[in-house]
Amino acid sequence: MSNLRSGSLSGFRFGLYARVVALSFTMTGGFAQAEEFSNFMGMKFVDVPTGSFKMGSCKAVMPDQVGVKVDCIGAELDVPFNELPQHGVTVPGFQIAKTEVTLGQFKDYIIKADRSDLVSDEFMEANSQANEAPVVYVSWNDIKTFVEWLNKTKPATDKGVYRLPFEAEWEYACRAGSHDAFCGSKSPSAVAWHGGNSGSHQQGVGRKDANAFALHDMSGNVREWVEDCYHDSFVNAPVDGSAWTTKCTSPERVLRGGSWKDESFKVRASNRINAPSVSRSSTIGFRLVRKVP
């Protein structure tokens, strides 16, 4: 078992087939800093307080539109349509994982839940980095099954309910009281692994600077699934922080944050793409929310 938990993926695969808190905030510089909750799988969560923010991007006016009022933050000329319009959202408090779910943590799930069916050749190739790297090659459907198992398996002392983040929660946590272009910085390389600095693969979690909520890798490293189905704009989006799962543009789900393979523009805080819920890729992973009743 020790080889499965800390060894190479080749050793992990061999072994697999052989087996076939009440948290408080203190205010520092206007931002909330939380103590950590660590669950039975070693996933660390922090509190994100209730609050309001501007979600999405702001479309700047062209020079010939002088006099047109722009009632939004961080105006840019080159803004994808699916990031518009910028809109106010109020998000109830929740807990979110400090990092993406790691390969080591997902290995534990595969072993304990007897999910060797997930360990394909493609999974092995995509997850060729260390246990500390985010797990990739997991679909939205895979994660829903993982979350169901996690909620059934957690000890009785853990009163939280685990799930994927709602898209509004994800961006609110990413921005952490700021409206910087990236999740915690104006500079992509300070907080993100992207196509210009990643070495062409995912990196161990938590190696880049955290944002003001002590969250790592919200920008870059791997794209992160959220709960919401895809809409091609934020027109009529919920303003209460809930998941948007009605009147969908398509049956596809949303991915946020960009990845190790993307140009830096695509690891911005407002970047969003869509993919079928069955999609698996070397650039796609996830982090979880823990909601405490």
Side-chain angles (χ1 to χ4, degrees):
M1 181 64 74
S2 61
N3 186 47
L4 297 180
R5 296 185 187 281
S6 61
S8 67
L9 264 175
S10 59
F12 166 60
R13 190 177 198 178
F14 177 82
L16 248 181
Y17 291 153
R19 288 188 61 171
V20 179
V21 140
L23 302 178
S24 61
F25 281 98
T26 58
M27 300 305 294
T28 305
F31 296 115
Q33 305 292 328
E35 296 178 2
E36 296 177 3
F37 171 85
S38 185
N39 74 1
F40 75 104
M41 295 190 75
M43 300 174 187
K44 296 179 180 179
F45 294 79
V46 295
D47 271 4
V48 174
T50 298
S52 299
F53 79 116
K54 290 284 191 179
M55 183 173 181
S57 291
C58 177
K59 181 72 171 177
V61 299
M62 299 298 290
D64 61 355
Q65 295 177 295
V66 174
V68 176
K69 184 179 180 182
V70 179
D71 186 20
C72 52
I73 301 171
E76 301 173 87
L77 285 174
D78 188 16
V79 175
F81 180 76
N82 73 348
E83 298 176 14
L84 300 171
Q86 191 177 85
H87 57 292
V89 181
T90 297
V91 180
F94 60 99
Q95 293 177 354
I96 191 167
K98 292 187 66 174
T99 69
E100 295 142 341
V101 173
T102 66
L103 176 60
Q105 291 163 347
F106 204 74
K107 282 182 182 180
D108 278 352
Y109 161 65
I110 291 173
I111 294 166
K112 292 174 181 175
D114 192 19
R115 290 302 310 274
S116 58
D117 59 296
L118 294 173
V119 189
S120 63
D121 289 341
E122 293 83 2
F123 180 92
M124 296 291 292
E125 182 178 356
N127 287 286
S128 60
Q129 306 307 309
N131 284 342
E132 294 74 26
V135 66
V136 294
Y137 212 76
V138 286
S139 71
W140 188 91
N141 290 344
D142 294 336
I143 297 162
K144 298 295 281 190
T145 304
F146 169 69
V147 167
E148 182 180 2
W149 174 87
L150 187 62
N151 282 318
K152 287 181 178 178
T153 307
K154 65 183 176 66
T157 53
D158 183 351
K159 303 302 182 183
V161 176
Y162 295 93
R163 58 171 171 79
L164 279 170
F166 302 156
E167 187 173 11
E169 290 176 333
W170 189 96
E171 187 171 329
Y172 175 63
C174 152
R175 295 195 179 280
S178 171
H179 216 278
D180 291 334
F182 305 94
C183 300
S185 179
K186 295 179 173 63
S187 166
S189 292
V191 292
W193 296 108
H194 54 80
N197 67 2
S198 67
S200 300
H201 56 78
Q202 67 271 36
Q203 295 284 335
V205 299
R207 295 178 180 174
K208 290 291 186 179
D209 291 347
N211 71 5
F213 286 157
L215 306 176
H216 296 270
D217 302 310
M218 297 291 284
S219 283
N221 214 359
V222 297
R223 297 181 184 125
E224 300 181 14
W225 288 110
V226 295
E227 181 69 22
D228 306 43
C229 60
Y230 181 71
H231 298 76
D232 59 12
S233 79
F234 286 132
V235 174
N236 298 320
V239 297
D240 61 356
S242 60
W244 196 7
T245 56
T246 60
K247 299 181 179 179
C248 304
T249 304
S250 75
E252 299 182 340
R253 298 287 167 168
V254 178
L255 291 151
R256 297 300 302 256
S259 79
W260 58 264
K261 193 175 183 179
D262 292 317
E263 60 184 309
S264 59
F265 182 79
K266 293 183 179 179
V267 302
R268 293 175 303 113
S270 53
N271 180 257
R272 56 196 299 268
I273 65 169
N274 54 302
S277 62
V278 296
S279 293
R280 297 185 177 113
S281 165
S282 62
T283 62
I284 294 176
F286 69 107
R287 80 177 68 215
L288 295 179
V289 156
R290 178 177 179 266
K291 189 72 175 179
V292 182

